[in-house]
Amino acid sequence: RALAEMEYNGQEVDEQYLVEFAHELDDEMSRMAIKLSRKFNTSTDFGSDTAVRDLLYNHLRLPVVKLTEKGNQLEREGVKIDRVEFASVDRSTLITLGREHDKHKEALELLGEYKVRQKVRSTYTLSLAHKIGKDGKIHPSFLSHGTATGRLSSRDPNFQNIPSRHKLMAKKIRR
């Protein structure tokens, strides 16, 4: 009964703020893309994992330090893969590469920040804004059996999925 009430009551969300925040992220990402183009001496699409993978591993010849989930799965199955094709370009990989390659450290850190903003924009601003009902609230589904530990979980949207590692983004999303 309590979960049904929580779902029915929903969570009030400021749609205007989410849209404005998305535009703010767009502006930041545009400025970052200009800086990244200068630092890497190329004008690639930094929002495309394929383009970033090509830049890092084919053009800059950085070593593959981590594979994507799909790449790991294929290797476990014994499939011979092109490691560059399945090389990870997630934030933790960029940080690792930056630590190991001082020449590109600043650019890789900036690229990591770009990717954080890209993820926040796509997952937490516009997508949440589209889930707001006519009452100005989001009505997630709460599950009492959704986790192995028995804690409460939510879906559509998953409110517990807000990133916490990036303090500034987490704070802005939770506002």
Side-chain angles (χ1 to χ4, degrees):
R1 177 174 159 94
L3 294 182
E5 275 186 40
M6 288 170 55
E7 290 176 6
Y8 178 78
N9 291 334
Q11 174 65 48
E12 199 167 319
V13 177
D14 185 346
E15 183 176 9
Q16 179 70 27
Y17 173 76
L18 288 177
V19 171
E20 287 171 7
F21 186 36
H23 292 305
E24 179 184 319
L25 291 170
D26 286 338
D27 291 344
E28 285 181 29
M29 288 167 51
S30 292
R31 288 190 299 274
M32 288 174 146
I34 291 167
K35 288 180 183 177
L36 286 165
S37 292
R38 286 188 196 125
K39 289 183 182 301
F40 286 121
N41 198 25
T42 185
S43 59
T44 193
D45 177 5
F46 296 103
S48 161
D49 284 353
T50 302
V52 169
R53 192 174 289 114
D54 184 55
L55 169 67
L56 298 180
Y57 303 112
N58 290 328
H59 295 288
L60 297 177
R61 299 267 187 230
L62 296 176
V64 175
V65 295
K66 181 179 163 186
L67 295 176
T68 61
E69 275 187 46
K70 180 73 173 172
N72 281 323
Q73 176 187 351
L74 290 171
E75 276 200 340
R76 279 192 307 273
E77 293 170 359
V79 176
K80 186 159 176 63
I81 62 168
D82 173 1
R83 290 180 59 84
V84 169
E85 186 180 337
F86 292 97
S88 176
V89 291
D90 67 9
R91 188 165 181 246
S92 68
T93 301
L94 297 173
I95 290 168
T96 300
L97 287 169
R99 271 193 236 120
E100 294 176 2
H101 301 276
D102 205 43
K103 176 182 177 185
H104 301 294
K105 182 177 182 170
E106 192 177 320
L108 291 165
E109 286 175 355
L110 182 61
L111 182 55
E113 288 299 310
Y114 180 95
K115 291 184 83 52
V116 166
R117 282 155 180 76
Q118 180 183 29
K119 174 74 173 175
V120 166
R121 184 191 180 282
S122 66
T123 307
Y124 305 106
T125 58
L126 300 179
S127 65
L128 281 180
H130 292 300
K131 293 187 183 294
I132 298 172
K134 289 180 174 45
D135 61 355
K137 296 178 180 181
I138 293 177
H139 299 270
S141 297
F142 291 100
L143 306 168
S144 59
H145 58 281
T147 68
T149 59
R151 65 180 167 77
L152 191 63
S153 66
S154 67
R155 65 177 168 82
D156 197 29
N158 179 355
F159 279 144
Q160 293 139 318
N161 199 25
I162 295 173
S164 58
R165 280 180 248 150
H166 198 285
K167 301 286 187 228
L168 176 63
M169 290 293 118
K171 183 178 179 179
K172 285 188 166 200
I173 294 164
R174 288 188 175 100
R175 177 192 169 278

